[in-house]
Amino acid sequence: MTVWIEVALESYRTHEAHRTDRSDDATPAALAGALEQIPAFAGVAPVRSRLATRDIPLKAAGWRLSVDTLDGARTLCATHEDGPPIPGFTRYRTFARPAGEDLAASLREFAEADDASRAPLAKAHRVAAPESDDGAPSSTPDSDSGDEVERIEWRIDAGGADILATLETDAQGRAALRLAAPAADGALDAVFRLAGEIIDAAPFFIAPDEAHELANDAANGAANDAANEPVFAAKLALPRTATRREAFIAIAASVAQQWFGNEFAARAGLSDEHVHQLRVAQRRLKTLLKLFRDDVDETWTTRIAPDLKWFGDLLADARDWDVFTDKTLPSYAASDDNAARWQTLIDAADLRRRVARDRVRDALASKRYVRLTLAFVERLARFASQEDETPVRLVSYAKKRIRKDYRRIARVADLASLEPHERHRVRIHAKRLRYALEFFRSVTTQRTRKQTAKMLGALQTVLGEANDAAVAADRLASMPEATDYQRGFARAWGAASARKDAQEGERLLRAMHRPRVRASL
């Protein structure tokens, strides 16, 4: 059976137009017109159709099932992901079969038609047509024919690779573009090359993780607010039998889910929590690349790393201004006998915070950023497609990395005796170890997951507060709106915070149990 590879893109114009009613350039015709200006689409006759599609829920991981209705004819379509899930990229197999009037019967026949689909589709008929009290199938819910979709397809010969480009626009105006090709030599190159040409010429970006879309995307009304919710890091459950390479791909995909999910949500309005979670995703990615140094090649270094730094620096500046404006300055004011004297400074900081956030917003809308996300997904897809010639067990690798990173913090001198920049380095190492434990949680002991990780978080927090105070003092000193009194207040606050937090950090560090990988694995 043919294995397909696919890159999924989404139109940011339709996403924004859905919320601002500016849809002149976001119609299917307008998007198709933009695509047809790309040389690869020139002379290719599009095929247009309008159909209804209804998803049938499945509990089998990696499987999707739908009923598509076109010109009165129904088709059952199932897809199975063939490889690790990577946001924006899928490797899959397809199963399709015409459906008769008795949908439940058609689904039972569909499940039995192939050994691979028998188990995952075995109970699908119960969801599509629930049984009545007497055990017979109830009337199929055909009145709920599904969501209407407008589809435009182009078959493109891209240097020997036969690419099917499918633009689908749903009733709410969301437009998705899928570039699919049979997995063969050269197909990966061709699909990503075409994706690059598209994002350079048309308003498309890498689609977020589909699970996030299904959970958070809203058709209308109050549910729209859900699509703007920030996305937090998901708990990883790496298989105990996983190799180092498999772990790298799974962790990178998890980082991308948080990264792209918050980018998607932020397109409806960038909040301070979106900025925070985007920065967390970038920090997790940075930790991943340090944990797996041997898997960072020239492509990462030359093509991805510079733009990751560019984007990360913008996020760091915006996040620092958020903390300074919303937390640090109000704390100063609350501790002063004249809180009102701080309001002018708070207003000035808030203005700078808005400017920093606008820079992040502009970056998210830039071609440079979209190219970065595409390059990231492409490198991950290529890495996943390569054969692991020297597989290393995750358990062995995790034990080695955790032990090494723990020693970095356990062997430092008394935190209270260190210089501020040295304590800051301890904080960075504690943060990296905490992320590493999150990545490898499925192979660590229960005490490591619950107690050690918790204390690492507390250590990171207290040392972070001291660092925030030091950064705040420097930031305040550079603001012309600040008075000499306020500059002195911030320096004194920072010094007191450094002493207090160093003492608390030292207590936490020495009380921490050494993290362990489970010996029974």
Side-chain angles (χ1 to χ4, degrees), residues 11 21 24 33 52 83 102 122 136 140 156 165 183 191 196 198 207 247-249 285-286 307 314 364 460 473 498:
S11 169
D21 296 326
D24 292 346
D102 187 341
T140 59
I156 298 170
V191 168
I198 289 170
F248 177 88
I249 296 167
L285 177 57
K286 192 173 182 179
D307 286 339
L314 291 174
L364 290 172
Q460 179 187 340

Side-chain angles (χ1 to χ4, degrees), residues 53-76:
T53 182
R54 177 163 67 92
D55 284 336
I56 298 176
L58 295 176
K59 292 184 178 181
W63 282 83
R64 285 194 62 194
L65 175 63
S66 66
V67 183
D68 292 350
T69 305
L70 175 63
D71 297 332
R74 295 189 301 184
T75 303
L76 297 172

Side-chain angles (χ1 to χ4, degrees), residues 321-322 324-330 333 339-356 476 479-482 486:
W321 278 112
D322 280 339
F324 184 65
T325 306
D326 293 337
K327 181 180 176 181
T328 306
L329 289 180
R341 79 172 94 210
W342 293 89
Q343 192 57 51
T344 298
L345 197 59
I346 292 173
D347 292 341
D350 185 52
L351 180 61
R352 289 168 172 79
R353 180 251 296 271
R354 293 173 186 271
V355 171
L476 189 147
M479 296 179 65
E481 297 86 354
Q486 290 169 326

Side-chain angles (χ1 to χ4, degrees), residues 421-432:
H421 72 276
E422 294 174 318
R423 282 196 296 270
H424 182 56
R425 292 302 304 172
V426 174
R427 173 181 174 251
I428 291 174
H429 291 313
K431 175 181 61 181
R432 289 176 182 166

Side-chain angles (χ1 to χ4, degrees), residues 190-240:
V191 168
F192 276 102
R193 183 168 56 248
L194 180 57
E197 293 173 5
I198 289 170
I199 65 172
D200 281 344
F204 286 92
F205 65 96
I206 286 287
D209 177 61
E210 192 158 14
H212 172 65
E213 288 187 59
L214 293 174
N216 285 343
D217 188 33
N220 50 51
N224 276 338
D225 293 338
N228 190 230
E229 289 295 314
V231 179
F232 299 90
K235 288 185 178 180
L236 279 167
L238 297 173
R240 300 175 186 178

Side-chain angles (χ1 to χ4, degrees), residues 240-312:
R240 300 175 186 178
T241 57
T243 65
R244 185 189 71 178
R245 176 184 289 267
E246 291 168 343
F248 177 88
I249 296 167
I251 297 167
S254 173
V255 169
Q257 288 167 3
Q258 183 185 17
W259 175 4
F260 298 165
N262 280 290
E263 172 211 325
F264 176 82
R267 289 182 183 276
L270 182 65
S271 70
D272 56 347
E273 191 58 34
H274 292 134
V275 171
H276 185 202
Q277 293 306 318
L278 282 166
R279 192 182 185 199
V280 169
Q282 294 298 307
R283 284 175 163 177
R284 293 176 71 218
L285 177 57
K286 192 173 182 179
T287 298
L288 171 67
L289 298 179
K290 288 185 178 297
L291 281 172
F292 294 83
R293 292 178 186 273
D294 292 343
D295 297 319
V296 179
D297 59 11
E298 187 177 356
T299 300
W300 285 100
T301 303
T302 61
R303 196 175 161 206
I304 299 174
D307 286 339
L308 280 176
K309 185 179 186 308
W310 159 73
F311 184 54

